[in-house]
Amino acid sequence: MKVLVAVKRVVDYNVKVRVKADNSGVDLANVKMSMNPFCEIAVEEAVRLKEKGVATEIVVVSIGPTTAQEQLRTALALGADRAILVESAEELTSLAVAKLLKAVVDKEQPQLVILGKQAIDSDNNQTGQMLAALTRYGQGTFASKVEVSGDNVAVTREIDGGAQTVSLKLPAIVTTDLRLNEPRYASLPNIMKAKKKPLEVLTPDALGVSTASTNKTVKVEAPAARSAGIKVKSVAELVEKLKNEAKVI
Amino acid sequence: MAVLLIAEHHDGVLKLATLNALTAAARFDVSVEVLVAGKHAGRIAEEIATFTGVNQVLIADAPAYADQGVENVAALVTELVTTSAYSHVLAASTAYGKNLLPRVAALLDVAQISDVVEIISTSRFVRPFYAGNALATVESADPVKVLTVRTTAFAAAEKSASSAAVTALALAHETGLSRFVSADFSVSERVELTCAKIIVSGGRGMGSGANFALLERVADKLGAAVGASRAAVDAGFVSNDMQVGQTGKIVAPQLYIAVGISGAIQHLAGMKDSKIIVAINKDQDAPIFRIADYGLVADLFEAVPALEAALS
């Protein structure tokens, strides 16, 4: 079966971003960008499905600026067969991204779509669920285990207080949690080979999707900084402070 | 106009996060209607009806909602919103709310605002992003605002002297897209992490799962919940529903004691709104000390038993 994986180019997870002085957004100039960690897990899962003989083709798609081709090449180096970039320079809402992905799903007709559960820049945790709604497919979000059998996929989901397993009719949408797998690294020969794999570039217009947003970010601020604390010398002093100064125990 | 709040419940127990979301729903100064979907959920409906701010409870009790499969519940919520005059649809930003509301929003063709921490007006909201390193004020022009609410940013609603009316809905959406197979809950007699007043958390420095017993003994003395960093979960020390952080649970207790936790961005995103933060770490340069109110540079294997003894 064909598996479609969506990946996003985001600020590297180790970078602590700064809010711009004019409160218009965060400063992304000269900041290291990477593939969103949850998307890496999504690619890895697709590659494992292919290694098991379940998946026959892996198509990786990204929606974003021209530079997102770097992340698509990374996914190709990890084992995806071909890539699609839906090029858009503007910042899109999850709904717009889901609509663009829906258009790609219509075109590619995958049996399984794997996305990360959330992007570490917007922290929205919406796109997979929205894509499932638009395609009218079942959704297995926050997946820690994915097992395809026949026309169904059993997805074990991380939920508050434990785990839950649901069986979805294929085609279906799955979003990855951290526990799903440990992504591999791309080897140098595979990075070289990935340069020759096909990468198609599309536009929202070509897909017939309007990306107009009903949401406007009015301003972006830095959160209130915590006032500097003190270092205590002993456990006794700590307990005394918690009891008498902070009054929390 | 009215606000529709989705109640969360499991195994005949109302999830307390619903009460925090109720406080947020009541901010809009219009009627608040609470939807309870499930099988034999009558008791839950009667319970939520007794809280301040609830004007009406809608109960959808049908086999289709027995396991609260998200596809069926989303279809139900969408039908309710398209046939009534709701201005806002709210749910707590829990695994349940996060799974459900984006599906509802897309079915309604509106954007969703996740993890709202402040309601400025009926259309303007504040939410954190970039792991809590920035706060965005967002203005929504959608006809229906679909919001998930960060529970730690709103107090829980209180019991009311009166009880709201409970109305049964004769709606059953069976999409047939998914089927519940099984559930596996970690058994814990402790207070739930997200509503604990005190949390004792361990990181990679704990060294092993067995050593978490040290933290549990301190937690017993304080009536606290026990949490963990992603490093501790990834190392297999504890189960991942104990994880505090950007990708785990967001907490804001009165007191957060971080033991053997370096303080990575990802972890801080889940706990930096705690009232008092204590860090116990042997590395005096650990980033956690930059946000801790009280820091103790010490070997946790000496400090934690000493702390337990001092609390006796």
Side-chain angles (χ1 to χ4, degrees):
Chain A
M1 68 177 193
K2 190 195 275 190
V3 178
L4 184 75
V5 181
V7 302
K8 185 176 184 184
R9 175 184 171 89
V10 298
V11 166
D12 188 86
Y13 73 97
N14 283 311
V15 174
K16 186 168 188 245
V17 297
R18 277 206 189 82
V19 171
K20 285 187 198 165
D22 66 357
N23 295 115
S24 62
V26 296
D27 193 358
L28 297 182
N30 305 314
V31 167
K32 188 186 177 206
M33 305 295 279
S34 301
M35 190 191 297
N36 180 45
F38 292 99
C39 303
E40 288 181 352
I41 295 169
V43 172
E44 175 66 30
E45 195 62 19
V47 173
R48 289 187 189 188
L49 286 172
K50 194 172 174 192
E51 286 168 348
K52 277 191 240 165
V54 176
T56 48
E57 188 188 24
I58 302 168
V59 181
V60 60
V61 56
S62 190
I63 291 160
T66 316
T67 45
Q69 291 197 16
E70 291 169 25
Q71 280 63 47
L72 288 171
R73 290 288 173 204
T74 302
L76 292 170
L78 290 168
D81 297 295
R82 60 188 172 88
I84 300 170
L85 173 66
V86 181
E87 204 170 305
S88 170
E90 42 178 339
E91 220 168 283
L92 302 173
T93 60
S94 297
L95 183 63
V97 172
K99 285 179 178 175
L100 291 166
L101 290 175
K102 160 77 161 58
V104 174
V105 167
D106 287 347
K107 194 166 164 282
E108 295 286 340
Q109 298 287 317
Q111 284 295 98
L112 187 64
V113 185
I114 313 179
L115 305 88
K117 80 164 177 182
Q118 80 191 65
I120 59 165
D121 52 356
S122 64
D123 280 335
N124 271 333
N125 196 331
Q126 298 175 5
T127 306
Q129 295 88 314
M130 288 182 156
L131 177 61
L134 299 175
T135 52
R136 300 293 200 271
Y137 293 165
Q139 66 190 53
T141 52
F142 327 145
S144 60
K145 196 173 169 197
V146 174
E147 265 179 308
V148 178
S149 58
D151 294 335
N152 294 285
V153 58
V155 180
T156 301
R157 308 178 52 235
E158 300 289 324
I159 58 171
D160 298 330
Q164 177 200 59
T165 304
V166 291
S167 173
L168 309 171
K169 221 183 244 173
L170 291 173
I173 311 288
V174 167
T175 75
T176 64
D177 210 323
L178 286 169
R179 233 63 52 194
L180 183 57
N181 60 47
E182 186 89 23
R184 70 192 69 190
Y185 292 96
S187 67
L188 189 58
N190 285 343
I191 293 172
M192 300 312 286
K193 276 184 221 155
K195 292 184 180 174
K196 296 202 179 76
K197 289 185 179 177
L199 193 157
E200 184 186 2
V201 180
L202 299 170
T203 62
D205 282 347
L207 291 168
V209 175
S210 159
T211 56
S213 172
T214 47
N215 275 2
K216 195 177 78 200
T217 298
V218 181
K219 64 176 172 189
V220 174
E221 294 165 298
R226 291 187 74 96
S227 51
I230 57 159
K231 288 245 172 86
V232 293
K233 291 199 171 50
S234 66
V235 167
E237 189 187 348
L238 174 65
V239 172
E240 190 273 323
K241 295 272 187 206
L242 292 177
K243 274 187 179 148
N244 303 322
E245 196 174 274
K247 298 190 189 346
V248 284
I249 58 171
Chain B
M1 297 305 267
V3 177
L4 183 66
L5 170 68
I6 317 298
E8 182 176 345
H9 59 97
H10 174 74
D11 239 358
V13 180
L14 177 69
K15 287 279 182 176
L16 297 176
T18 308
L19 302 178
N20 303 88
L22 173 56
T23 299
R27 293 276 165 87
F28 294 109
D29 277 336
V30 292
S31 174
V32 175
E33 301 185 6
V34 183
L35 173 68
V36 180
K39 197 165 162 41
H40 307 310
R43 219 180 51 77
I44 301 286
E46 275 160 32
E47 183 182 352
I48 189 75
T50 62
F51 282 87
T52 305
V54 178
N55 297 91
Q56 191 181 192
V57 179
L58 307 172
I59 174 165
D61 195 331
Y65 313 124
D67 302 302
Q68 297 176 66
V70 64
E71 296 84 1
N72 294 348
V73 177
L76 164 71
V77 175
T78 307
E79 183 180 338
L80 276 178
V81 175
T82 44
T83 53
S84 307
Y86 292 111
S87 55
H88 298 78
V89 181
L90 266 71
S93 192
T94 55
Y96 180 80
K98 288 175 186 174
N99 189 33
L100 174 66
L101 281 210
R103 190 171 179 106
V104 171
L107 291 172
L108 294 169
D109 195 25
V110 299
Q112 185 207 289
I113 301 171
S114 297
D115 251 346
V116 169
V117 293
E118 191 186 336
I119 294 166
I120 297 177
S121 72
T122 53
S123 61
R124 200 169 269 210
F125 314 96
V126 179
R127 66 172 301 260
F129 63 145
Y130 284 97
N133 287 306
L135 290 169
T137 302
V138 182
E139 172 80 27
S140 164
D142 283 318
V144 182
K145 275 75 168 168
V146 178
L147 318 170
T148 59
V149 176
R150 182 169 287 192
T151 53
T152 55
F154 298 89
E158 307 274 345
K159 280 264 185 193
S160 155
S162 59
S163 188
V166 177
T167 310
L169 299 172
L171 295 173
H173 294 83
E174 182 50 81
T175 57
L177 291 170
S178 80
R179 185 174 54 81
F180 171 85
V181 178
S182 63
D184 177 18
F185 290 90
S186 13
V187 185
S188 172
E189 279 160 25
R190 276 176 212 294
V191 274
E192 214 180 317
L193 206 49
T194 48
C195 48
K197 290 206 163 48
I198 302 177
I199 294 173
V200 184
S201 254
R204 199 195 304 272
M206 295 304 296
S208 77
N211 290 335
F212 265 73
L214 296 172
L215 300 187
E216 280 165 19
R217 288 203 287 272
V218 171
D220 286 340
K221 292 265 155 62
L222 292 168
V226 178
S229 69
R230 183 183 161 194
V233 174
D234 281 354
F237 298 171
V238 289
S239 71
N240 65 286
D241 57 320
M242 285 169 67
Q243 184 184 322
V244 172
Q246 183 185 19
T247 57
K249 293 193 169 70
I250 312 283
V251 298
Q254 293 288 305
L255 173 61
Y256 189 92
I257 305 178
V259 181
I261 292 176
S262 64
I265 298 171
Q266 194 281 131
H267 186 72
L268 304 187
M271 46 65 82
K272 69 184 173 56
D273 292 325
S274 304
K275 186 164 169 272
I276 298 290
I277 296 172
V278 169
I280 301 175
N281 204 302
K282 65 181 175 192
D283 175 8
Q284 60 170 353
D285 297 321
I288 191 80
F289 286 120
R290 277 180 236 150
I291 66 150
D293 299 279
Y294 302 107
L296 176 63
V297 179
D299 184 339
L300 70 93
F301 295 104
E302 287 164 20
V304 175
L307 179 60
E308 185 201 341
L311 293 169
S312 297

